[in-house]
C-alpha cells in the first residue's frame, strides 16, 4: 500500500469529524463529497443549508446532504464560544462583542468548533491566505505543550528511489515561519521528525540545510543552522540529526561521503530542514513543479489540535489528502 492509500485507510478506520469552513468553494465541496462517498470521515460545512445544497447541485454533487451544516446565524454554541474567546484574550482586548463579531467569520467559527471539541479537525485555505487560516488557530487553539512554534511539512515523493527513503522526503518549514530563530528552527526539526515517524512510519534522518557543509563557509546564516542543530539534539537526544549541509551533501551518498565523511546523515537524509521560509517555499515548489514530485501538504505540526492550511492552488485530490491527514492527526496517528 502506498503512503497516500495508507493515510486514507487510517482515516477511514477512525471516522473523524472535519470542519471545512470554505463551504461554498468548488474544490472543497468536491473533496467533501469524495470523503463522504468513500466513508473516509464525517464532514461539517458552515453556511446556509439551502445555498450550500444549491451550489452542490450546480456542481453535480449528489451526496452533500450527508454533511452536517452549521448555520452561523442560528447556532446554539455562539455565546459559549464567545465567552471562551473573551476569557482567553481579554488582555488583548477581546470582549464578548468582539468575539461574536469574529465568529461571523467561518474561519474563526471552525477554529472554535475544533477548540471546543465539536469537530476533530479543520481544513481551510483553498480560498483564504495562509495567515487568515492560521491566525485564529494561533490565537485560540495554540501549540502543544513544550512546543512554542507551529510549523509545516510537505511530504515529497520522487520517482528516484535511490535518494531519501526510497524517494520519500519530508521538507520543512515551507509554509509558515518566515524567519525562524535558532530555537524555532530546532523545534521545526524535532516536530518534522515526529510527523515523519507518525505518518510515514519511517526512522527520520534529519539534515539541517545551508549553503555550507560542516564549516566550508562562515556566515551568521550558517551559524544559525549550526546552533539550531545543537539545540535540536538537546530537545530530542535520540534524534538522528546533523548539519549544516548543502543539499547535495545531505542527499547524495557519494557527495556526502566526500564533504562530510564522519556524518551518519550525510548523503542519507530523508527529512530536509530549510533555514527559512524563502528557501523552503521555493525549494518545495521547485521539486514539485520541475522534478514532478508528488506533493502532500502542507501538514501543520505543533498545534494543540489539528488544523490544516491548504495551498490556494490545491486540487480536489490534494484537498482530499489534507482532510485525510488531518483526520489521521486527530486520531493521534
Ligand atoms: N506558531 C505559533 N504561534 C504563532 C506563530 C507560530 N508559527 N506565528 C505567530 N504566532 C502567534 C503569535 O505569537 C501571536 O499570538 P498572540 O496574538 O497570542 O500574541 C499570533 O500568532 C499572531 O502573531 P503575529 O506575529 O501577529 O502573526 P501574524 O498573524 O502577523 O503572522 C503568520 C503569522 C500568518 C503565520 C505569518 O507568519 C505569515 O504570514 N507566514 C507566512 C505564511 C505564508 O504566506 N506562507 C507561504 C504560502 S503557503 C504555501 O505556499 C503552501
Amino acid at each position: 500500500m502506498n503512503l497516500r492509500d495508507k493515510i486514507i485507510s487510517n482515516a477511514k478506520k477512525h471516522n473523524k469529524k472535519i470542519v471545512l469552513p470554505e463551504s461554498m468553494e468548488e474544490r472543497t465541496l468536491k473533496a467533501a463529497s469524495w470523503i463522504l462517498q468513500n466513508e473516509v470521515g464525517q464532514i461539517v460545512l458552515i453556511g446556509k443549508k439551502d445555498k450550500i445544497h444549491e451550489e452542490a447541485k450546480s456542481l453535480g454533487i449528489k451526496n452533500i446532504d450527508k454533511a452536517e451544516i452549521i448555520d452561523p446565524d442560528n447556532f446554539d454554541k455562539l455565546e459559549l464560544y464567545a465567552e471562551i474567546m473573551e476569557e482567553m484574550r481579554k488582555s488583548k482586548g477581546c470582549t464578548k462583542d468582539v468575539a461574536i463579531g469574529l465568529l461571523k467569520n467561518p474561519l474563526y467559527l471552525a477554529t472554535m468548533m475544533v477548540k471546543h471539541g465539536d469537530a476533530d479537525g479543520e481544513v481551510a485555505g483553498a480560498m483564504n491566505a495562509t495567515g487568515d487560516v492560521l491566525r485564529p488557530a494561533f490565537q485560540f487553539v495554540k501549540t502543544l505543550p513544550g512546543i512554542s512554534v507551529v510549523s509545516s511539512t510537505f511530504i515529497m515523493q520522487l520517482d528516484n528511489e535511490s535518494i531519501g527513503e526510497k524517494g520519500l522526503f519530508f521538507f520543512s518549514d515551507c509554509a509558515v515561519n518566515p524567519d525562524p530563530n535558532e530555537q524555532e528552527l530546532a523545534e521545526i526539526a524535532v516536530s518534522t521528525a515526529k510527523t515523519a515517524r507518525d505518518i510515514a512510519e519511517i526512522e527520520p534522518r534529519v539534515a539541517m540545510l545551508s549553503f555550507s557543509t560542516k564549516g566550508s563557509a562562515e556566515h551568521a546564516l550558517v551559524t544559525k543552522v549550526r546552533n539550531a542543530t545543537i539545540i535540536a539534539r538537546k530537545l530530542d537526544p535520540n534524534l538522528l540529526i546533523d548539519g549544516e549541509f548543502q543539499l547535495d551533501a545531505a542527499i547524495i551518498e557519494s557527495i556526502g561521503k566526500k564533504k562530510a565523511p564522519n556524518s551518519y546523515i550525510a548523503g542519507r537524509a530523508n527529512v530536509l530542514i530549510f533555514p527559512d521560509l524563502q528557501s523552503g517555499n521555493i525549494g518545495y515548489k521547485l521539486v514539485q513543479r520541475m522534478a514532478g514530485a508528488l506533493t502532500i501538504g502542507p501538514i501543520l505540526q505543533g498545534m494543540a489540535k489539528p488544523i490544516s492550511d491548504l495551498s490556494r492552488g490545491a486540487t480536489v485530490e490534494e484537498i482530499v489528502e489534507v482532510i485525510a491527514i488531518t483526520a489521521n492527526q486527530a486520531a493521534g496517528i
Side-chain angles (χ1 to χ4, degrees):
M1 196 187 284
N2 68 28
L3 183 56
R4 182 184 188 277
D5 291 345
K6 195 157 95 184
I7 289 166
I8 300 273
S9 151
N10 279 337
K12 270 185 176 202
K13 269 184 228 154
H14 294 277
N15 192 31
K16 293 290 175 186
K17 192 190 270 193
I18 306 299
V19 55
L20 308 175
E22 294 163 332
S23 302
M24 295 289 279
E25 197 282 323
E26 178 175 343
R27 289 159 297 151
T28 304
L29 274 179
K30 287 182 174 165
S33 168
W34 193 93
I35 294 281
L36 293 166
Q37 175 76 27
N38 292 280
E39 298 181 340
V40 175
Q42 305 166 63
I43 295 290
V44 183
L45 301 171
I46 296 177
K48 296 283 176 202
K49 196 171 184 173
D50 49 352
K51 285 210 170 132
I52 291 174
H53 280 203
E54 207 176 290
E55 183 66 17
K57 199 173 164 199
S58 77
L59 296 170
I61 295 170
K62 295 197 176 78
N63 60 347
I64 218 64
D65 54 332
K66 290 198 178 135
E68 179 182 341
I69 296 183
I70 300 290
D71 178 351
D73 295 326
N74 189 13
F75 182 46
D76 58 4
K77 289 190 174 156
L78 277 187
E79 291 274 323
L80 172 65
Y81 288 178
E83 280 160 18
I84 297 170
M85 290 165 79
E86 181 187 25
E87 183 59 34
M88 285 184 75
R89 291 182 73 81
K90 233 184 287 178
S91 63
K92 306 252 173 183
C94 185
T95 61
K96 195 168 164 190
D97 283 349
V98 169
I100 294 277
L102 289 174
L103 287 167
K104 292 197 192 315
N105 176 345
L107 295 171
Y108 272 91
L109 182 53
T111 299
M112 288 310 294
M113 288 187 74
V114 176
K115 165 83 188 165
H116 193 253
D118 295 316
D120 299 308
E122 173 194 344
V123 175
M127 56 185 275
N128 282 286
T130 296
D132 296 330
V133 175
L134 294 188
R135 212 166 289 114
F138 288 164
Q139 290 172 347
F140 295 105
V141 171
K142 306 266 183 199
T143 53
L144 284 168
I147 297 281
S148 70
V149 78
V150 170
S151 60
S152 71
T153 192
F154 278 92
I155 299 173
M156 311 293 295
Q157 179 68 60
L158 288 144
D159 288 337
N160 179 359
E161 292 196 357
S162 70
I163 54 175
E165 191 77 24
K166 295 195 178 142
L168 179 75
F169 284 93
F170 284 74
F171 281 21
S172 298
D173 174 3
C174 308
V176 180
N177 295 282
D179 190 13
N181 62 28
E182 292 168 357
Q183 172 71 28
E184 290 167 344
L185 198 54
E187 285 188 22
I188 291 167
V190 171
S191 292
T192 308
K194 180 179 178 326
T195 304
R197 258 184 230 114
D198 291 349
I199 291 184
E201 294 171 3
I202 59 172
E203 184 55 52
R205 298 185 295 276
V206 183
M208 303 292 276
L209 298 182
S210 175
F211 57 83
S212 163
T213 299
K214 294 282 184 180
S216 66
E218 288 301 335
H219 189 279
L221 294 173
V222 177
T223 308
K224 169 175 118 167
V225 175
R226 221 175 271 154
N227 289 345
T229 311
I230 295 167
I231 296 169
R233 286 200 185 104
K234 284 188 190 143
L235 292 175
D236 182 354
N238 296 319
L239 187 60
L240 299 174
I241 184 170
D242 207 357
E244 82 286 356
F245 292 125
Q246 289 157 287
L247 177 79
D248 53 359
I251 65 169
I252 308 291
E253 206 153 0
S254 58
I255 299 177
K257 273 190 186 139
K258 235 181 269 162
K259 291 191 176 182
N262 298 322
S263 171
Y264 175 74
I265 301 294
R268 312 177 62 202
N270 53 21
V271 172
L272 302 180
I273 305 299
F274 293 81
D276 63 24
L277 189 53
Q278 306 229 40
S279 54
N281 191 267
I282 294 166
Y284 104 81
K285 286 184 196 281
L286 277 175
V287 178
Q288 179 184 33
R289 301 290 172 185
M290 296 176 79
L294 172 78
T295 304
I296 303 179
I299 301 165
L300 290 184
Q301 43 194 22
M303 195 92 79
K305 293 194 169 185
I307 292 186
S308 298
D309 170 51
L310 299 161
S311 164
R312 268 178 292 176
T315 61
V316 173
E317 199 178 31
E318 286 165 349
I319 299 175
V320 164
E321 288 161 359
V322 173
I323 293 173
I325 286 177
T326 309
N328 278 221
Q329 289 178 314
I333 293 166

